[in-house]
């Protein structure tokens, strides 16, 4: 599973196009995920969608990308625009393996673009996690990180302490192995209560130190990070 975040597309983002090209042409990749801030403030989702029209795909290869809504995707009167492309901001999907030892992995997307999960969404999450034993792996992701250990986070960058404690407890007690987020534009990885928390680097066009993440899935999970370059970035160097 390929993962990127924070492309902040305004007109053209070559790094996003390179990311799409890469995962679309990896035969082992069933889906990709973008963790929010798809577009820059006051811009249209059209430009994010347009990135898919400039790359080629292996014939008959699935090219699904799941997205998370971020603060830049909702705070500038873009909610109605978002709904033109995606019917919901919270959802889950299941990836099933083939072969003798079949397994199911659960991926859950949450909406915390406004800095909170909210009572109804947490209730929905608890309902999903009540059946956690049927899944081999469970991954949860959202745009805003639950907490960060350094001082780079502003007020919108963290949820309330009460929600943080509740989510950490839910994850630890119900088989969640990883929680992904973006928003801070700087990578961080740490494990707490048996759950790995990962903040993924941003993929802004102007960021020449962009990385995307690949989750390698088997009996165990392994995360690797890969530097992404474009032709124009190499020319600028």
């Amino acid at each position: 599973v390929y993962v990127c975040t924070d492309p902040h597309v305004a007109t053209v983002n070559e790094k996003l196009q390179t990311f799409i090209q890469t995962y679309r042409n990896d035969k082992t990749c069933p889906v990709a995920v973008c963790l929010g801030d798809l577009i820059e403030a006051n811009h249209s989702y059209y430009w994010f969608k347009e990135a898919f029209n400039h790359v080629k795909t292996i014939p008959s290869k699935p090219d699904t990308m799941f997205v998370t809504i971020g603060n830049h995707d909702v705070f500038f009167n873009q909610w109605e625009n978002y709904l033109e492309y995606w019917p919901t901001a919270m959802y889950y999907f299941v990836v099933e393996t083939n072969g003798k030892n079949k397994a199911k992995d659960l991926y859950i997307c949450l909406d915390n673009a406004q800095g909170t999960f909210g009572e109804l969404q947490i209730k929905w999450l608890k309902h999903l996690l009540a059946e956690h034993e049927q899944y081999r792996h469970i991954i949860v992701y959202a745009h805003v990180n639950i907490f960060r250990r350094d001082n780079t986070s502003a007020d919108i960058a963290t949820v309330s302490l009460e929600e943080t404690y509740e989510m950490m407890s839910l994850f630890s007690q119900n088989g969640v192995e990883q929680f992904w987020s973006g928003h801070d534009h700087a990578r961080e990885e740490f494990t707490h209560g048996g759950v790995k928390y990962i903040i993924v680097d941003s993929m802004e066009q102007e960021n020449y130190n962009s990385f995307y993440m690949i989750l390698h899935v088997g009996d165990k999970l392994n995360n690797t990070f890969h530097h992404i370059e474009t032709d124009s970035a190499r020319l600028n160097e």
Side-chain angles (χ1 to χ4, degrees), residues 119-136:
E119 181 180 356
L120 291 178
Q121 187 172 212
I122 293 176
K123 183 177 180 180
W124 176 79
L125 176 63
K126 289 179 178 178
H127 175 74
L128 280 179
L129 294 180
E131 300 180 353
H132 68 271
E133 293 181 353
Q134 66 176 293
Y135 299 104
R136 178 181 61 171

Side-chain angles (χ1 to χ4, degrees), residues 94-129:
V94 176
V95 176
E96 297 188 17
T97 64
N98 296 317
K100 294 181 180 179
N101 300 319
K102 291 191 174 184
K104 296 191 299 182
D105 301 325
L106 176 64
Y107 296 79
I108 303 172
C109 174
L110 300 177
D111 172 5
N112 66 352
Q114 296 182 337
T116 181
F117 293 100
E119 181 180 356
L120 291 178
Q121 187 172 212
I122 293 176
K123 183 177 180 180
W124 176 79
L125 176 63
K126 289 179 178 178
H127 175 74
L128 280 179
L129 294 180

Side-chain angles (χ1 to χ4, degrees), residues 8-231:
H8 289 268
V9 178
T11 52
V12 175
N13 185 316
E14 294 175 333
K15 293 187 176 183
L16 178 61
Q17 293 177 359
T18 300
F19 174 79
I20 296 168
Q21 179 85 36
T22 304
Y23 90 76
R24 274 185 166 183
N25 289 280
D26 184 341
K27 295 181 180 179
T28 68
C29 174
V31 296
V33 176
C34 184
L35 299 174
D37 279 2
L38 313 178
I39 54 176
E40 189 50 89
N42 296 314
H43 286 78
S44 168
Y45 293 102
Y46 166 83
W47 291 107
F48 182 84
K49 180 182 177 184
E50 184 69 9
F52 289 81
N53 297 327
H54 298 279
V55 296
K56 297 180 180 179
T57 306
I58 295 175
S60 70
K61 161 74 167 59
D63 63 353
T64 300
M65 179 188 282
F66 291 96
V67 303
T68 306
I69 192 167
N71 54 292
H72 273 265
D73 304 319
V74 73
F75 274 138
F76 301 91
N77 299 316
Q78 294 150 310
W79 176 238
E80 291 184 359
N81 186 210
Y82 177 93
L83 291 176
E84 292 178 13
Y85 294 91
W86 299 282
T88 181
M90 50 182 279
Y91 57 86
Y92 71 92
F93 65 92
V94 176
V95 176
E96 297 188 17
T97 64
N98 296 317
K100 294 181 180 179
N101 300 319
K102 291 191 174 184
K104 296 191 299 182
D105 301 325
L106 176 64
Y107 296 79
I108 303 172
C109 174
L110 300 177
D111 172 5
N112 66 352
Q114 296 182 337
T116 181
F117 293 100
E119 181 180 356
L120 291 178
Q121 187 172 212
I122 293 176
K123 183 177 180 180
W124 176 79
L125 176 63
K126 289 179 178 178
H127 175 74
L128 280 179
L129 294 180
E131 300 180 353
H132 68 271
E133 293 181 353
Q134 66 176 293
Y135 299 104
R136 178 181 61 171
H137 302 300
I138 300 177
I139 311 295
V140 180
Y141 58 90
H143 176 64
V144 178
N145 53 284
I146 292 182
F147 56 88
R148 187 179 176 92
R149 295 178 301 170
D150 65 22
N151 61 359
T152 62
S153 297
D155 291 340
I156 187 59
T158 53
V159 301
S160 69
L161 286 175
E162 291 81 5
E163 280 195 347
T164 294
Y165 295 147
E166 182 167 12
M167 300 300 275
M168 290 169 57
S169 177
L170 272 175
F171 294 164
S172 295
Q173 295 178 21
N174 291 279
V176 175
E177 293 181 58
Q178 295 191 1
F179 178 81
W180 306 335
S181 60
H183 187 68
D184 276 300
H185 295 201
R187 188 192 319 167
E188 182 170 283
E189 301 176 80
F190 63 95
T191 300
H192 181 82
V195 182
K196 187 170 187 177
Y197 294 86
I198 303 173
I199 300 173
V200 181
D201 311 80
S202 76
M203 197 179 287
E204 292 176 288
Q205 179 69 16
E206 296 77 14
N207 181 8
Y208 296 113
N209 196 35
S210 295
F211 287 77
Y212 62 90
M213 181 177 75
I214 299 179
L215 174 69
H216 305 269
V217 184
D219 290 336
K220 295 184 178 180
L221 301 177
N222 180 42
N223 305 79
T224 59
F225 293 86
H226 305 265
H227 188 241
I228 187 165
E229 292 187 35
T230 62
D231 291 338

